[in-house]
Amino acid sequence: MIIKSDKDIIQNYFEDTSNIRGGHADEVVIPESSSELASFMKEANAGRTPVTVSGGGTGTTGSRIPFGGAVVSMERLNRTIDVSAAKMSATVEAGVLVEELKDSAEGRGLFYTSHPTEKTAFIGGTIATNASGARSFKYGPTRKYVKRLKMVMADGEEFELSRGQIFLSKDKHEIKLPSGRVIDIPVPRYRMPNIKSSAGYFWKDCMDAIDLFVGQEGTLSVITEAELGLVTKPSGILSSFVFFKEEEDAISFTEEVKKENALDVLSIEYFDRGAVDTLRGRNKNVPAAALAAIFFEQDVTRKDPDAVMDLWGELISRHNSSLDDTWVAMSEKDSGVFLDLRHSIPDAINDRIKRSGFKKFSTDIAVPGNKFLEMVFYYRQAFNETGLSHTIFGHIGENHLHVNILPGSQKEAEAAKKLSLEFAKKAVSLGGTIAAEHGIGKLKHEYLEVMYGREGMMDMARIKKAFDPNCILGLDNIFPKELLA
Ligand SMILES: Cc1cc2nc3c(=O)[nH]c(=O)nc-3n(C[C@H](O)[C@H](O)[C@H](O)COP(=O)(O)OP(=O)(O)OC[C@H]3O[C@@H](n4cnc5c(N)ncnc54)[C@H](O)[C@@H]3O)c2cc1C
């Protein structure tokens, strides 16, 4: 086990993309095996030392940023144990990069679909946040692919759990660990929305116990290894940027694409005027008049690419764009260039926010499909009224846009904070979620309270205490640590 305590060296572990400042810890512990981690956790638990688990540090909510105690970094638990076409699954340690798993799977004609586009995210981090990505439009979030987890619990006990092994309900809510310790999970009262969400602990009546550990943000256990489901890799993917002169056209285009059964769409992503300007800064061929764009990927495995392109062409022209204002990639290499370009947008926004020195005001709201347009009009009206600088982009196919408010002064930062809360309230009133894929971390407690009330957060605190009675893991993630008192 490697232990680092030099302040200059460990400084990197006190950041992610949330811009939360002031993180600190006494040491960073880097286990090289699950048993090393187990011994460390036993000691930490006995000494009541707070432990923050660190993955790749690409999170957006400050959840890997420690405020005291020790950091456990998973970077050395990074072996790919098995990638099996016969089982359509991969077994990897938690510190494996998602990008690496994706490449190993693709080398065998398989696909790991849960990819948050950020190349340095770890598998453990994506499970702990229930990450999604552009392709979750077709494939769903990380949760769907988690078949088995190996974990070290807060007291150092090692525990392996497979999907289908334990079910939880309001009448049966116990998990028995190998030592015989029984964790009696207090049944929460909140109800999750019926859309993609990573807002706090997953709870449904008659649920698989493994789902409680997906999206737990390092508060219930340390995940050391996972078996993950894979799918067959499409033999061909057509990807495209379509540019529009009006944001409305991009939105109405998407609404129609979602209803079009003849297509096999993997992802549909939206970029507003600000995001298109960012693209323009990276590629001079972006049409001069473009004020919005859609990026999509289409599986052409069982389709004639020309016929598919004709259909897209019709849709594109029906919504006031044309093939002249459309870029198409057919080869894997060109698609890779498009994916990098798509990824450069959140990267550029994060850089801009970092330079501004203000905390991030970036929403992760998703709403039910029939409420999406109402949410979009609400955003538009709010920005017309406040004049705040903003950029909107993201997973429009799943009614999930990231609204980034970009304040340039303290006054604007205060207005941005207020507006973000208004957006959260509106989304919840429409049956939406305030965290569709990034989790809550230390940044979004207030919005989680809008969603589930103080009572719901207290229920989550009770669940955490059942697993971690000494309250050492991931403090202040999901809910304020004061609720554990
Ligand atoms: C440019 C950019 C684009 C992004 N796009 C997307 C996107 O499209 N979709 C999306 O979902 N996310 C996206 N993200 C967010 C981010 O990549 C995800 O949240 C990712 O899942 C975080 O993984 P990580 O390894 O970096 O975790 P970290 O940031 O290190 O940690 C995140 C949380 O996971 C916990 N954790 C980490 N490892 C473990 C473990 N082994 N056991 C228990 N808990 C653990 C930490 O304690 C923390 O609570 C993006 C980020 C950036 C910077």
Side-chain angles (χ1 to χ4, degrees), residues 158-422:
E158 293 178 73
F159 176 44
E160 185 171 338
L161 180 62
S162 295
R163 191 167 284 284
Q165 188 182 324
I166 303 176
F167 289 93
L168 303 173
S169 68
K170 59 180 181 326
D171 303 317
K172 193 172 166 296
H173 35 86
E174 287 180 353
I175 294 181
K176 191 171 179 191
L177 298 182
S179 63
R181 176 159 85 98
V182 174
I183 298 173
D184 186 3
I185 305 161
V187 176
R189 288 158 289 187
Y190 55 84
R191 290 175 79 97
M192 295 187 308
N194 203 16
I195 52 173
K196 91 192 237 200
S197 182
S198 67
Y201 300 139
F202 184 96
W203 187 275
K204 266 187 185 167
D205 203 27
C206 303
M207 64 179 260
D208 198 302
I210 204 166
D211 283 325
L212 194 53
F213 298 96
V214 181
Q216 47 122 335
E217 302 190 39
T219 61
L220 301 181
S221 65
V222 187
I223 298 160
T224 56
E225 187 185 302
E227 184 183 345
L228 299 160
L230 304 172
V231 302
T232 305
K233 183 184 170 191
S235 62
I237 295 177
L238 178 155
S239 55
S240 175
F241 274 99
V242 189
F243 293 95
F244 296 88
K245 293 190 186 73
E246 301 288 342
E247 291 179 349
E248 270 77 8
D249 290 328
I251 292 169
S252 62
F253 170 75
T254 309
E255 292 296 305
E256 200 175 342
V257 169
K258 286 198 260 180
K259 288 185 209 134
E260 183 50 79
N261 294 327
L263 300 170
D264 191 354
V265 180
L266 303 181
S267 60
I268 323 178
E269 301 276 296
Y270 170 78
F271 306 100
D272 78 346
R273 175 195 293 230
V276 169
D277 278 343
T278 304
L279 270 182
R280 205 173 266 122
R282 311 227 159 187
N283 189 311
K284 59 180 176 18
N285 296 324
V286 171
L291 290 183
I294 293 291
F295 170 75
F296 71 80
E297 293 175 294
Q298 151 91 51
D299 183 348
V300 286
T301 305
R302 280 178 294 275
K303 300 200 184 294
D304 167 8
D306 291 336
V308 164
M309 208 49 233
D310 285 348
L311 185 46
W312 280 104
E314 277 171 35
L315 287 169
I316 288 167
S317 54
R318 264 213 294 283
H319 296 274
N320 305 321
S321 183
S322 72
L323 287 179
D324 291 341
D325 286 337
T326 300
W327 301 343
V328 179
M330 292 297 296
S331 72
E332 215 160 294
K333 186 164 162 262
D334 291 345
S335 293
V337 173
F338 277 14
L339 286 174
D340 285 346
L341 203 56
R342 181 251 170 257
H343 182 67
S344 70
I345 293 169
D347 251 353
I349 293 168
N350 285 337
D351 279 353
R352 185 169 160 192
I353 294 176
K354 201 168 183 178
R355 269 185 277 115
S356 81
F358 294 107
K359 248 201 271 179
K360 188 164 169 163
F361 294 100
S362 168
T363 74
D364 186 23
I365 285 172
V367 293
N370 61 352
K371 302 291 180 192
F372 180 64
L373 291 180
E374 187 174 342
M375 195 72 221
V376 169
F377 292 134
Y378 190 82
Y379 293 143
R380 187 161 301 161
Q381 197 181 350
F383 287 122
N384 283 342
E385 281 166 15
T386 61
L388 284 166
S389 171
H390 63 280
T391 291
I392 304 180
F393 73 92
H395 317 304
I396 193 168
E398 294 179 284
N399 313 301
H400 173 202
L401 294 178
H402 297 298
V403 178
N404 293 270
I405 315 178
L406 307 163
S409 66
Q410 190 50 39
K411 193 168 163 228
E412 283 183 1
E414 277 155 29
K417 184 169 189 272
K418 203 165 147 233
L419 194 55
S420 303
L421 189 61
E422 292 306 317

Side-chain angles (χ1 to χ4, degrees), residues 15-17 37 51-65 72 74 93-98 115-134 136 142 150-151 196 198 213 216-225 269 342-348 350 360 364 393 395 400 402 436-439 441-442 473-474 477:
E15 292 175 2
D16 63 2
T17 60
L37 173 65
V51 174
T52 304
V53 190
S54 175
T58 69
T60 63
T61 65
S63 54
R64 80 123 185 201
I65 300 179
V72 163
M74 302 307 286
E93 288 184 325
V96 165
L97 295 176
V98 183
H115 192 251
T117 74
E118 177 50 55
K119 292 187 175 167
T120 53
F122 290 4
I123 286 296
T126 55
I127 296 172
T129 53
N130 187 29
S132 305
S136 62
T142 299
K150 273 194 186 173
M151 298 176 275
K196 91 192 237 200
S198 67
F213 298 96
Q216 47 122 335
E217 302 190 39
T219 61
L220 301 181
S221 65
V222 187
I223 298 160
T224 56
E225 187 185 302
E269 301 276 296
R342 181 251 170 257
H343 182 67
S344 70
I345 293 169
D347 251 353
N350 285 337
K360 188 164 169 163
D364 186 23
F393 73 92
H395 317 304
H400 173 202
H402 297 298
E437 64 180 9
H438 292 170
K442 300 179 174 71
L473 266 180
N477 284 353

Side-chain angles (χ1 to χ4, degrees), residues 29 33 40 99 113 127 271 352 361 381 449 458 465:
V29 172
S33 67
F40 170 76
E99 191 69 8
T113 63
I127 296 172
F271 306 100
R352 185 169 160 192
F361 294 100
Q381 197 181 350
E449 189 166 349
M458 295 286 291
K465 274 185 101 166

